Amino acid sequence: MAPGELLTGLALPLVRIFFFISLGLILASLIEELGWSRMMSRLALPFVRFGRFSETSGASFALAFISGVSANTTLAEAYRDGKIGRREVLLANLLNSLPRFFLHLPTVFFLMAPFIKGAALLYVGLTFCAALLRTLLIAATGRWLLPAPAARPVAPTGGGKPSLREALLKAWKRLRRRLLRIMLITAPIYALFFMAAAWGYFALFSAWVEENFSLLAFLPPEGIGIIVLVAATELTAGLAAAGALLDGHTMANREVVLALLTGTVLAAPIQALRHQLPYYAGIFPPRLAAELIVVSQLFRAGSVILVGTVYFFLSA
């Protein structure tokens, strides 16, 4: 493998991951030290209050509109300090699917629109419905599974809150304690999956799924090609193929949208292993990290399949 590939495919992504993890740790510490969690949780008040989530989960929900890594780091720090339990971490991570959708919406939409034009609106609308459905279901599940929050004590009016400089010093000390451990866990995992992708194992797995997954018969043969490109390479390749098929009147908007939704579902496990597992394993305990990834991917896939199935029959 050429040194340039190692630099652009492994070294630079790891630097980017560690930068955002470090930023997330600092933000999480500042939120705790300066008492910002209550203020931020107000942005998510309807979901938090109905689902019986804590202020920490509310702050994570609000922060997820800006940075998914920082939102998860807030949950990880609260769990490590015993402020929230395992069940709430799982539910709060799932609750953040709606802000994560809006976080990536501009990139996804403006990437899709030049290729597939009007079909981009259909795809974005359907994935938004899936994200909203997940958030509503998790809020309802939280109300059922989480205990009613106890009455919060009135905060003292005098002093006690550190200055910004003191909070930054505490955040820096916490970062130095934890960052080395995170790097030792994250770097080998990311490198392993980078090499697996470079050697073509993910592409082989995706091709095997497409060849043996008989439920894809509802799509024309050209649609299978879009799915393979989305699942085995990246979204841009699938969009380029879809745009060419649309321009050539080989496929209609409905078929392209269904192919992209299917490719998104089938690509989810691979994307989770390549991108989520390295940094989840760095900030959460290993078993909890695995649970978060499996549950979130299954729930996301289930919601997309449900919304896609409704669209399939309504648009027939």
Side-chain angles (χ1 to χ4, degrees):
M1 186 174 296
E5 294 179 358
L6 289 174
L7 176 64
T8 59
L10 182 60
L12 291 181
L14 277 175
V15 170
R16 186 169 59 250
I17 287 173
F18 292 140
F19 170 76
F20 284 110
I21 288 178
S22 301
L23 183 62
L25 285 169
I26 291 173
L27 284 175
S29 182
L30 288 176
I31 287 170
E32 176 187 347
E33 295 294 332
L34 298 176
W36 292 348
S37 59
R38 179 166 297 184
M39 178 186 66
M40 296 185 68
S41 68
R42 290 172 185 162
L43 299 174
L45 195 58
F47 294 114
V48 171
R49 182 173 291 171
F50 179 79
R52 296 179 173 175
F53 288 95
S54 66
E55 288 181 353
T56 300
S57 297
S60 173
F61 184 91
L63 195 55
F65 282 98
I66 304 170
S67 167
V69 176
S70 298
N72 282 326
T73 305
T74 299
L75 294 176
E77 289 291 295
Y79 176 74
R80 191 176 301 276
D81 295 340
K83 295 180 179 178
I84 59 175
R86 192 183 201 89
R87 180 178 293 175
E88 184 170 351
V89 173
L90 285 166
L91 292 175
N93 179 262
L94 294 173
L95 187 73
N96 290 346
S97 61
L98 187 62
R100 279 196 296 264
F101 171 84
F102 283 108
L103 178 63
H104 298 295
L105 175 61
T107 302
V108 172
F109 179 75
F110 289 109
L111 177 65
M112 286 187 156
F115 288 106
I116 60 175
K117 304 172 181 69
L121 289 173
L122 285 171
Y123 178 87
V124 169
L126 291 171
T127 51
F128 167 73
C129 289
L132 180 61
L133 176 64
R134 291 195 297 272
T135 301
L136 294 174
L137 287 175
I138 289 302
T141 303
R143 187 170 185 84
W144 178 44
L145 293 179
L146 297 178
R152 298 185 181 94
V154 178
T157 54
K161 185 182 293 186
S163 66
L164 180 59
R165 183 175 180 277
E166 291 172 337
L168 283 171
L169 285 174
K170 289 184 179 180
W172 173 246
K173 290 178 181 178
R174 181 177 295 183
L175 175 64
R176 286 192 303 175
R177 285 199 307 266
R178 297 201 53 206
L179 187 58
L180 178 60
R181 174 184 173 275
I182 290 172
M183 293 173 68
L184 291 175
I185 295 173
T186 301
I189 295 175
Y190 192 94
L192 175 64
F193 285 101
F194 168 77
M195 298 305 296
W199 291 333
Y201 289 120
F202 289 136
L204 289 173
F205 174 74
S206 297
W208 179 85
V209 170
E210 311 307 337
E211 291 173 2
N212 295 277
F213 206 68
S214 59
L215 290 177
L216 299 182
F218 67 90
L219 287 172
E222 296 84 1
I224 306 299
I226 296 175
I227 294 172
V228 171
L229 288 172
V230 172
T233 56
E234 58 178 18
L235 182 61
T236 307
L239 291 174
L245 292 169
L246 277 175
D247 291 340
H249 304 287
T250 306
M251 291 180 67
N253 281 354
R254 175 180 181 270
E255 295 167 333
V256 165
V257 170
L258 289 171
L260 289 173
L261 289 174
T262 305
T264 299
V265 170
L266 294 179
I270 297 173
Q271 297 299 320
L273 290 175
R274 291 176 64 180
H275 301 294
Q276 278 187 291
L277 181 60
Y279 95 82
Y280 267 56
I283 61 177
F284 291 105
R287 181 179 173 184
L288 179 58
E291 288 179 5
L292 288 170
I293 292 172
V294 170
V295 172
S296 64
Q297 291 302 324
L298 287 175
F299 198 50
R300 179 173 180 265
S303 65
V304 172
I305 290 171
L306 177 60
V307 169
T309 302
V310 172
Y311 172 71
F312 174 79
F313 286 108
L314 289 180
S315 62

